[in-house]
Amino acid sequence: MRRIFYFLLLLFFSSTVFAQLNQNGKIAIAIHGGAGTIKREDMSPEREAEYRAKLEEALKAGHQVLENGGSSLNAVVAAIQIMEESPLFNAGKGAVFTNEVKNELDAAIMDGKTRNAGTVAGISTVKSPVAAARVVMENSPHVMMIGQGAEQFAEEQGLEMVDPSYFFTDRRYEQLQRIKDTEQQQLEHDGDKDSGDRRPGDQREGMLDEKFPDRKFGTVGAVALDQEGNLAAATSTGGMTNKRYGRVGDVPIIGAGTYADNTTCAVSATGHGEYFIRSVVAYDIAALMKYKGLSLKEAGEEVVKDKLVKMGGGGGVISIDAQGNIAMPFNTAGMYRASISPGGEMYIGIYEDE
Ligand code: ASP
């Protein structure tokens, strides 16, 4: 009898301690707004201020959710939706154009606790693609839905639908016109990938040279750790300017552009999707932590600054582990990024040297 009493007492105390731990649980969040040839000398002070302000707004919206005890899933969606609605980023409104002058959007979300995931690709009428990915994850038995089917499902789920013209912006339209003219050059570059590794002299240490001055990857993403210790990752994009033939990038490919697992990390990527798919970037970072015991930082640097550079894949990732460590490696001139650490320290960066 006494034993049972002590056992129950122990049970009571340990559950209180756990509850306490969760209550005092660390929270942290990181977001990105794309990587690429983003240089100080090309940026007007006004435009730079706009980016920093929007990153801060999105970051704080996500962090607020976590502070209020909300889930990491809610936090990443809150942060991303602010960037989807901003024409500054290549996601939602402001997405880049396909060769056929359309906006075809991809998005993904993953829950690190259950490793459930939802993704959508090639959609043009759902206002918030990340919300569409979430309903795929939560309200369907599937992981990925594409095109009209995904749009029909999103509508049935009560998501806000828009006319495709909602996503149009002059800036992206002009970008398409510029890239259309240089298509030949891009095709030549695409030929490079078949040769495998980059040519000697093509790289600075851990960085990719900018063969294409206009190349910016403005995808948005968020990763977060909530008070319960759960990780989540989400990414949303218009893909790449001038894409054709129903091209889909890494974003909605679980393990390539988006991944989350409570036992390792949550990752959201931005960059030249084809390389991120072939390198299974997000999962590779988690796998290096799990099987090789690397830290979040070491794993990210190995994948982004070594493996991807050798292949020729420009871009970067934001990542967070279960302790709230944050790493945001990239191999391009810049990456729009921001984070709030478990200690509450806020960081916002654009260029390589900050
Ligand atoms: N990764 C995206 C894609 O290839 C592009 C980006 O990051 O902006 O579709």
Side-chain angles (χ1 to χ4, degrees):
M1 190 63 193
R2 189 179 282 185
R3 267 201 205 151
I4 294 178
F5 173 73
Y6 282 127
F7 177 72
L8 286 176
L9 204 67
L10 190 75
L11 209 66
F12 172 74
F13 276 116
S14 52
S15 62
T16 328
V17 168
F18 270 120
Q20 208 83 55
L21 266 182
N22 285 343
Q23 251 165 36
N24 301 330
K26 291 174 178 173
I27 56 169
I29 183 164
I31 62 171
H32 70 75
T37 319
I38 309 162
K39 291 181 178 165
R40 210 174 254 114
E41 56 267 32
D42 299 335
M43 184 87 87
S44 71
E46 296 76 32
R47 170 93 0 167
E48 184 177 322
E50 273 183 84
Y51 272 107
R52 289 187 192 273
K54 199 44 91 175
L55 285 170
E56 185 172 339
E57 184 190 337
L59 183 73
K60 285 185 169 165
H63 193 257
Q64 189 66 53
V65 171
L66 300 170
E67 259 184 351
N68 294 344
S71 69
S72 49
L73 286 170
N74 285 346
V76 293
V77 170
I80 285 184
Q81 283 183 326
I82 286 175
M83 293 187 282
E84 281 181 339
E85 281 175 26
S86 163
L88 290 173
F89 304 100
N90 171 21
K93 190 169 186 64
V96 297
F97 283 95
T98 66
N99 184 266
E100 291 176 314
V101 201
K102 286 184 183 159
N103 304 107
E104 292 178 355
L105 312 169
D106 306 333
I109 189 163
M110 186 158 180
D111 178 355
K113 182 182 176 188
T114 58
R115 272 180 292 147
N116 199 359
T119 80
V120 290
I123 60 171
S124 302
T125 58
V126 185
K127 187 177 180 197
S128 169
V130 74
R134 190 168 184 178
V135 291
V136 171
M137 174 173 81
E138 290 180 342
N139 301 343
S140 90
H142 308 301
V143 169
M144 187 174 200
M145 292 188 192
I146 63 165
Q148 281 178 0
E151 291 172 345
Q152 185 188 330
F153 181 70
E155 190 163 15
E156 283 169 16
Q157 290 293 312
L159 296 191
E160 188 174 347
M161 306 302 286
V162 290
D163 185 85
S165 62
Y166 164 80
F167 299 107
F168 182 97
T169 57
D170 287 329
R171 182 175 166 219
R172 298 299 184 197
Y173 183 73
E174 279 154 25
Q175 260 172 21
L176 172 69
Q177 302 312 317
R178 281 206 299 274
I179 292 214
K180 260 190 157 171
D181 295 344
T182 63
E183 191 172 18
Q184 191 58 39
Q185 201 185 359
Q186 278 211 310
L187 286 171
E188 277 167 24
H189 174 67
D190 282 348
D192 281 358
K193 78 177 178 196
D194 296 326
S195 63
D197 291 355
R198 292 176 67 77
R199 299 186 196 104
D202 257 9
Q203 76 189 63
R204 311 197 296 285
E205 203 192 338
M207 301 298 288
L208 279 179
D209 279 335
E210 298 98 25
K211 277 170 128 186
F212 300 103
D214 227 3
R215 182 152 287 183
K216 298 183 188 70
F217 310 105
T219 291
V220 307
V223 292
L225 168 69
D226 66 25
Q227 291 185 22
E228 305 281 328
N230 293 320
L231 296 172
T235 318
S236 181
T237 189
M240 289 177 76
T241 304
N242 208 19
K243 64 184 182 181
R244 289 173 155 211
Y245 314 118
R247 179 263 187 193
V248 174
D250 58 312
V251 167
I253 310 292
I254 290 301
T258 310
Y259 191 71
D261 177 355
N262 276 3
T263 66
T264 51
C265 60
V267 179
S268 168
T270 171
H272 196 153
E274 280 68 9
Y275 294 88
F276 281 64
I277 295 172
R278 292 163 62 212
S279 305
V280 203
V281 165
Y283 181 72
D284 198 21
I285 293 172
L288 283 170
M289 292 176 71
K290 192 162 199 143
Y291 303 125
K292 220 175 164 188
L294 297 195
S295 70
L296 183 76
K297 185 167 187 288
E298 290 165 343
E301 304 241 315
E302 180 162 336
V303 174
V304 174
K305 297 202 165 191
D306 186 29
K307 289 180 169 182
L308 267 175
V309 171
K310 284 181 181 145
M311 263 194 149
V317 304
I318 51 164
S319 59
I320 189 168
D321 69 15
Q323 285 71 49
N325 295 308
I326 291 168
M328 304 192 277
F330 55 97
N331 62 30
T332 47
M335 180 167 85
Y336 298 107
R337 61 202 185 277
S339 62
I340 298 180
S341 70
E345 198 188 335
M346 183 165 84
Y347 166 85
I348 298 178
I350 298 178
Y351 313 108
E352 189 193 333
D353 58 0
E354 58 178 329

